[in-house]
Amino acid sequence: MTAPRSTLRLGTDAASLAEAGRLLARGALVAFPTETVYGLGADATDSAAVARLYAAKGRPSFNPLIAHVPDVESAFSLGDFNGNARRLAKAFWPGPLTLVVPARPNGPVCELARAGLSSLAIRVPSDPTARAILREAGKPIAAPSANRSGHVSPTEAEHVLVDLEGRIDAVVMGEASPVGVESTILACLDDRVVLLRPGVVTRDSVEAVIGQSVAEPETATEDNPLAPGRLTSHYATRAPIRLEATSIGPDEACLAFGPEWPAGAHPARTLNLSEKGDPVEAAANLYAMLRRLDGISPSAIGVVKFSRAGLGEAIFDRLQRAAAPRGAAFYDLSRI
């Protein structure tokens, strides 16, 4: 994106959602709410629109994007779904799950959105505002998180504007995203189901549907992530993050969880993901609280230790990425 533009604020009434869909179909960049986080939408069939999306986010062009569609039938038209993929789609769509499947030959999603891969990441969101916009657009919409690449993901419309005001065409001013972390990503490219990114659809719930253990990804290269969100340095704050902090320094902020605070935590510089220790509440608060703590410019953000069971696995994954050195990577997904 070479020049600033005026970013239109749209409501959530039917006429505004129809306008959002029309803008997307014409190649504009429109941010809109989903149940996970706010997404930055672009026509996934239009390489020029996808290039503008990459430019707005400052996103590495090798990082594939998720194609969002309004219903399962639309998803099945884009990719080849094996038995496991169909079982997972039936169980969890619409919802916070992305499936990576082989792209159909001569399918509509452009190569740039797929980062040159023969696979395609697809999601059917459950948020009614998102689905209405997708129906109006009439095309698969690439929609990564609506923030500058590497920054904390947005869960409110105002978070989007902090990062992207003047860089995108419109923002749908909807409600806060209730889930608060990005979708679980599963690769269904052979007889395995591989967990590429944990999320609110947990490992246990997936295994209950497919009747087998979820496989782990291979070991890492930075240059060939199979799925979105696989760079280690992701969701980053300006302040360094210390994980499993048992004490907080005088110039540090604290991200707490549960009724106990670490030694040295100051009330003015502490936010609690969930005082009652509820991981669902913690996930919904995660990004907004990281943004608020980062906004007071602490020397570091100390994050307390918490269980990694269930949804805790997804929360820890995001925090681990936020704490990682910039530019690192976890997985070599090229052989999956």
Side-chain angles (χ1 to χ4, degrees), residues 1-5 7 27-31 39-42 48-61 65 112 144-151 160-170:
M1 191 159 303
T2 57
R5 61 183 68 185
T7 298
L29 303 182
V30 180
L40 177 57
V50 173
R52 288 192 294 273
L53 184 151
Y54 280 134
K57 282 181 63 71
R59 185 184 180 99
S61 60
L65 302 172
L112 184 61
S145 57
N147 55 282
R148 298 296 298 274
S149 187
H151 290 194
V160 177
L161 291 166
V162 167
D163 263 14
L164 298 177
E165 172 79 70
R167 300 178 64 86
I168 63 175
D169 298 288

Side-chain angles (χ1 to χ4, degrees), residues 29-93:
L29 303 182
V30 180
F32 56 87
T34 79
E35 71 276 18
T36 56
V37 298
Y38 269 67
L40 177 57
D43 179 358
T45 72
D46 181 351
S47 58
V50 173
R52 288 192 294 273
L53 184 151
Y54 280 134
K57 282 181 63 71
R59 185 184 180 99
S61 60
F62 54 74
N63 204 351
L65 302 172
I66 298 170
H68 291 66
V69 292
D71 50 59
V72 175
E73 292 73 21
S74 299
F76 287 171
S77 74
L78 297 178
D80 290 325
F81 285 68
N82 62 21
N84 278 332
R86 286 182 174 269
R87 282 187 282 274
L88 291 165
K90 182 178 180 180
F92 298 114
W93 277 350

Side-chain angles (χ1 to χ4, degrees), residues 233-244:
S233 174
H234 211 68
Y235 322 112
T237 51
R238 292 184 299 272
I241 287 179
R242 289 196 303 110
L243 300 178
E244 301 187 352

